[in-house]
Amino acid sequence: MTAVAAALVAALLAQSDVKEIKGRVVDGDGKPVAGVPIAPFWTIKNDVWAPGGPPLATSGDDGAFAKKVLWPKRPTAYLALDKDGKRGGVVVIDNASVDGAHEIRLAPLASIKGAFNFKECGATVPLMVSLMAKPAETFIGQMHLTGENLQFRLPPGEYALRTFSHRSDQRPIVHGLAHLV
């Protein structure tokens, strides 16, 4: 490691706290669920969720998970989905709760369907749709759309949905915010 890289790492560590994110993944009856990936960022393509990078952790045989992270000192949502992609759960961890153990209770995913109206644009434009977990509106996932129809499934809960578009002849546009409960 070069001296510059070492100095950069030291500076980042000085501004961050190392915290252990830990808890248990359980089903609706409170029984542990093994093999469930937990991640702070997911992508949705063709109604299938996938971690957008390395998962935080995967639950063990007893449903437990634990991983040390550089804590960003702001609320962070973690989404967990079972292997079949049919059940999931979200936990939002903030500075007050980061040191505790967290339970992620898996429940059947709810279907979301909708359509966008592109009349003002004169044509369908590509959209990036961002999903945030409430109450802190912490980003948990995104999808890209090239048509009018929106369809995906997500765990029960309260979410905010933002849409962005960008045409080569325009600056990015924030189209709106919808609340899903």
Side-chain angles (χ1 to χ4, degrees):
M1 183 184 302
T2 68
V4 173
L8 180 60
V9 169
L12 287 172
L13 288 174
Q15 296 175 15
S16 302
D17 290 333
V18 175
K19 297 287 186 178
E20 184 175 53
I21 305 298
K22 61 185 176 284
R24 231 169 65 113
V25 178
V26 298
D27 65 14
D29 296 326
K31 295 178 183 164
V33 182
V36 176
I38 300 111
F41 175 76
W42 293 74
T43 59
I44 308 166
K45 186 174 183 178
N46 299 324
D47 200 26
V48 175
W49 288 85
L56 168 78
T58 300
S59 61
D61 290 341
D62 58 356
F65 65 90
K67 177 84 178 223
K68 289 189 178 181
V69 300
L70 289 177
W71 181 246
K73 299 181 182 177
R74 60 179 159 64
T76 303
Y78 292 95
L79 173 65
L81 293 168
D82 70 4
K83 307 177 231 208
D84 300 327
K86 295 183 180 180
R87 296 179 303 158
V90 174
V91 63
V92 177
I93 301 172
D94 59 19
N95 290 330
S97 65
V98 68
D99 291 320
H102 304 278
E103 181 178 274
I104 302 176
R105 188 171 290 267
L106 301 182
L109 300 181
S111 292
I112 305 296
K113 294 180 182 181
F116 292 97
N117 180 340
F118 293 101
K119 288 180 185 173
E120 290 181 23
C121 299
T124 302
V125 295
L127 291 176
M128 173 154 48
V129 180
S130 298
L131 185 65
M132 281 89 56
K134 295 189 77 119
E137 291 193 16
T138 57
F139 184 73
I140 60 168
Q142 72 179 17
M143 70 183 91
H144 296 277
L145 294 178
T146 55
E148 297 175 351
N149 296 319
L150 171 75
Q151 179 176 334
F152 63 98
R153 295 171 302 134
L154 70 161
E158 189 175 357
Y159 302 90
L161 184 73
R162 289 185 197 261
T163 58
F164 302 86
S165 71
H166 182 45
R167 294 189 339 198
S168 60
D169 60 336
Q170 296 179 341
R171 292 187 351 234
I173 302 167
V174 177
H175 287 285
L177 175 67
H179 295 280
L180 309 171
V181 180

